[in-house]
Amino acid sequence: MTASDRLTPDQVRTLFLFEALDDSQLGWLAERGRVEVREGGTAVYQEGEPATCFFVLLSGAVTLSRRLHGDDIEVTRTDKRGVYGGATQAYLGDRVDQAYPNTMRAVSDAEFFVLPAEEFADAMRDWFPMALHLLEGLFFGTRAADTVMGERERLVALGALSAGLTHELNNPAAAAVRATEALRERVSGMRHKLALIADGRLDGTRLRGLVELQDAAVKQAAAASPLSALAAADAEDEIGDWLEEHEVASPWDLAPVLVSGGVGVPWLSTVAETVGEDHLDSAVRWLAYAIDTELLMGEIDDAVTRVSDLVGAAKQYSQLDRAPHRTVDVHTLLDATLTMLKGKIPAGIRVVKEYDRDLPEIPAYGAELNQVWTNLIDNAVDAMGDEGTLTLATRRDGEQLLVEVADTGPGIPAEIRPRIFEPFFTTKSVGDGTGLGLDISYRIVVNKHRGDIRVQSQPGNTRFQVLLPITQEPSSETPEA
């Protein structure tokens, strides 16, 4: 290094950052620092590269920019002598990732006083021990708070999902309990009516015919298609009139059950021919019990299947039985998330799916992508209130898979759109949100999956687009980092 590559101690003192240092400290900096020139339009350093140097501007103009969901956002532009950047966290050593937090570019030809990161860190530790402790406490305290708030955001989301899942599970479970209680009564009634029919007054041929009719009724009930309200009412009137003409007790109580099982007047006429008028009342009631029993068992089957489906969706959502990183179908993940959030989506919000089923499976962290879908869908539902349209779409975009979550809410104002991915920034009322949902989503998509997340918004049409590599392996970096 030549003398022209260095500053004198007095020249170092002219930089406001160092003006309060003593002569020995200024001499130490002058000896270890060097002067470097960058041509206009070139990068001084790039965001994410190893932070090897601390830069102080001597002359010229520079810009600082950050990479945000695919775009370079200029943070500041200045020609003030003495401004600095680069390895500003070198004093923290290997306790943090020593990478440049932004990109510095020379707008015009610029001259810098450059100090190696290790030298800058040594000076900070030796000269300002008290300030260093304060800075370390501030840095790690803020990072710990971010971690705690991030965990709380996930717990709040989990609590909301658990409440919704509990509600969804309660409905089929309660239906199964009610159907089981009713089934117990019907079986008891069947035993009683069978005793009346088979007390010796009905010969074997007629009893065998009645059992065959029962089998046919059960099969017919299992395959019966539901009728419209008007058609069902007409059918009940017809059957009720027939039962009343044939002196069957409580005909209007039996008619709805028989209609639900697909029974009509011709079938009842066959019953009358098989058992005779004397035994018609008991036979019809016994057959009605059989039909009702089959319908109740169908209700129980539907309820238990619904419970099983919900449990399966919960497992798919949490990926508890899956490897953290594996090949996934984004449609399966989206459907599982919708199932988990069903209890939170108002009846006035219509859900539309526009899936490209030809898309391939992609390597991803399924549980964490589900967290992204949860945040985006939840925000969309909150934006729309009680009514609107939620659209989930997938398609291919070059070598990436695109997932779009769109809503018909009021939109995101242009002045706050650049800030929506910032930690703790939220437009919700105090207590309604931490402002970490989109920040966590951004880190999961961009940092961990090497993808991108974008937003387009205008009143009535807000679209969040998540782009994920189809073949590229995601990063091992955790979203909390």
Side-chain angles (χ1 to χ4, degrees), residues 43-51 64-69 71-75 86 97-105 442 446-447:
V44 180
Y45 57 77
Q46 293 276 5
E47 180 179 350
E49 292 179 347
L64 290 180
S65 63
R66 295 288 306 274
R67 189 78 173 169
L68 185 62
H69 46 276
D71 298 321
D72 285 318
I73 307 299
E74 185 175 307
V75 178
D97 183 21
Q98 291 296 335
Y100 289 122
N102 48 44
T103 296
M104 179 185 286
R105 293 184 181 277
Y442 177 83
V446 177
N447 296 349

Side-chain angles (χ1 to χ4, degrees), residues 326-333 355-364 369 394-403 468-472:
R326 64 185 188 90
T327 301
V328 301
D329 181 348
V330 293
H331 304 116
T332 303
L333 301 182
Y355 292 167
D356 180 356
R357 295 291 185 178
D358 293 330
L359 290 172
E361 295 186 343
I362 62 171
L369 284 183
T394 62
R395 59 181 179 271
R396 189 171 188 133
D397 188 338
E399 293 304 311
Q400 293 181 306
L401 184 150
L402 185 146
V403 177
L468 299 166
I470 291 177
T471 57
Q472 180 179 334

Side-chain angles (χ1 to χ4, degrees), residues 301-337:
D301 182 63
D302 289 343
V304 174
T305 299
R306 175 64 178 154
V307 171
S308 178
D309 289 344
L310 285 166
V311 172
K315 288 176 65 179
Q316 178 65 46
Y317 178 85
S318 63
Q319 302 281 292
L320 287 178
D321 58 346
R322 314 277 182 167
H325 177 256
R326 64 185 188 90
T327 301
V328 301
D329 181 348
V330 293
H331 304 116
T332 303
L333 301 182
L334 287 167
D335 288 342
T337 303

Side-chain angles (χ1 to χ4, degrees), residues 113-185:
F113 175 66
V114 183
L115 193 66
E118 297 82 357
E119 304 285 5
F120 173 65
D122 290 342
M124 288 288 292
R125 296 189 190 100
D126 294 342
W127 299 347
F128 313 108
M130 180 177 176
L132 187 64
H133 288 310
L134 291 173
L135 287 171
E136 288 177 339
L138 177 63
F139 177 85
F140 289 110
T142 301
R143 191 165 76 168
D146 287 352
T147 301
V148 171
M149 291 300 291
E151 291 296 331
R152 186 179 185 280
E153 177 83 4
R154 283 185 282 274
L155 287 173
V156 169
L158 181 60
L161 288 172
S162 298
L165 182 61
T166 301
H167 174 76
E168 291 297 312
L169 286 170
N170 181 66
N171 290 336
V177 170
R178 290 192 300 269
T180 302
E181 292 175 351
L183 182 62
R184 185 176 292 111
E185 295 178 3

Side-chain angles (χ1 to χ4, degrees), residues 42-96:
T42 61
V44 180
Y45 57 77
Q46 293 276 5
E47 180 179 350
E49 292 179 347
T52 58
C53 293
F54 179 76
F55 294 84
V56 183
L57 182 64
L58 298 176
S59 64
V62 296
T63 64
L64 290 180
S65 63
R66 295 288 306 274
R67 189 78 173 169
L68 185 62
H69 46 276
D71 298 321
D72 285 318
I73 307 299
E74 185 175 307
V75 178
T76 186
R77 177 182 293 250
T78 182
D79 59 359
K80 183 178 180 181
R81 189 172 188 272
V83 297
Y84 54 88
T88 54
Q89 295 178 350
Y91 62 89
L92 295 171
D94 58 7
R95 289 174 291 177
V96 299

Side-chain angles (χ1 to χ4, degrees), residues 434-445:
T434 63
L436 287 173
L438 288 178
D439 171 57
I440 291 171
S441 299
Y442 177 83
R443 284 184 277 164
I444 289 173
V445 172

